Amino acid sequence: MKIYQVMIDVNRLRGTTYLDWQDHTDEMGRRGVPLAACWRTLALMSYKPKRPFGLFIDIRGGDFILTKQAEKDQVLLDLLEPDGEFLPVTVDGKPMRFHNITRFTDCLDYEKSHWEEQVRAIPRRITHPRFNPEKVPIGTMFRLMEYPGPRYIATDPTVAPTADLYQWYHHQGYSGLLFKLMWDSDKPEELVRF
């Protein structure tokens, strides 16, 4: 099993900016919380219009909007759905869906992870994570309870591509996401900095 941090390549693809950010400050600040009950369609405007849209559009660090290409891939939608919820947004006046991750996982191995040094009364943080493989959800995106911003994905080559988002993404030849290797179960002692 390998665990990757998942990011959109914002240096190559078009991103978005808010038109009505003030109306959604409270909702967007609550990562991991289902928002469907209080959600109003968020209006966004793309920037860097000469850049192409990818499979996903960056809404803000770690959050994704599905483009029309993503919406056409039912396997992709089926792999994303268990992680969270799809919420309506508009980008340049066109309807799209924001993927709000509500799956948080407590899969860090606290004892084997590396921690920063204690500085006065400031709480220590993990700098180099190690994971408990039995607690990691395979094939779908998740976030860590302690570090709610980034998205992660665990992949296992023994799982069929239709049940593993990382494999499906590569099987389909998609581009636009960056995958930073965070941990490899074949090399568990080689830890990568968050």
Side-chain angles (χ1 to χ4, degrees):
M1 168 187 8
K2 292 182 179 178
I3 300 173
Y4 295 92
Q5 181 180 345
V6 185
M7 299 160 281
I8 294 175
D9 187 353
V10 295
N11 293 319
R12 196 174 61 79
L13 299 173
R14 195 182 318 185
T16 60
T17 188
Y18 297 99
L19 292 179
D20 60 354
W21 165 252
Q22 294 302 320
D23 293 341
H24 288 275
T25 302
D26 291 339
E27 292 96 332
M28 296 303 289
R30 296 184 294 167
R31 288 193 166 162
V33 176
L35 299 174
C38 65
W39 188 260
R40 295 175 315 273
T41 301
L42 178 61
L44 301 147
M45 181 176 63
S46 66
Y47 65 87
K48 308 260 181 180
K50 292 185 180 178
R51 292 181 181 174
F53 280 128
L55 188 64
F56 301 103
I57 305 169
D58 182 59
I59 189 171
R60 65 180 175 134
D63 284 326
F64 296 179
I65 296 170
L66 283 71
T67 61
K68 293 301 176 190
Q69 179 186 8
E71 295 274 358
K72 293 177 184 175
D73 186 335
Q74 190 58 50
V75 172
L76 179 70
L77 295 177
D78 291 345
L79 288 167
L80 290 171
E81 192 169 28
D83 314 337
E85 60 189 354
F86 298 115
L87 302 170
V89 296
T90 62
V91 177
D92 300 333
K94 296 178 182 145
M96 295 187 185
R97 292 195 289 175
F98 160 55
H99 182 235
N100 180 37
I101 283 198
T102 57
R103 177 183 292 216
F104 275 69
T105 306
D106 181 17
C107 61
L108 289 176
D109 184 329
Y110 295 97
E111 298 203 8
K112 293 181 180 175
S113 293
H114 292 181
W115 293 74
E116 67 187 1
E117 295 296 320
Q118 182 75 39
V119 178
R120 296 188 209 127
I122 299 171
R124 293 173 56 200
R125 293 176 34 110
I126 292 174
T127 58
H128 296 75
R130 180 150 175 195
F131 296 85
N132 286 317
E134 62 277 359
K135 292 183 176 182
V136 175
I138 302 293
T140 60
M141 286 192 200
F142 63 93
R143 284 189 159 131
L144 299 172
M145 293 168 45
E146 302 82 353
Y147 306 97
R151 289 175 178 237
Y152 298 92
I153 191 161
T155 184
D156 185 336
T158 64
V159 175
T162 55
D164 185 322
L165 181 59
Y166 177 85
Q167 290 185 60
W168 183 252
Y169 178 86
H170 288 91
H171 179 267
Q172 293 299 101
Y174 293 141
S175 63
L177 292 182
L178 302 173
F179 297 93
K180 176 185 176 186
L181 181 64
M182 297 300 298
W183 190 70
D184 185 341
S185 61
D186 292 335
K187 303 172 187 173
E189 302 305 320
E190 292 182 17
L191 305 183
V192 176
R193 186 172 187 84
F194 264 130

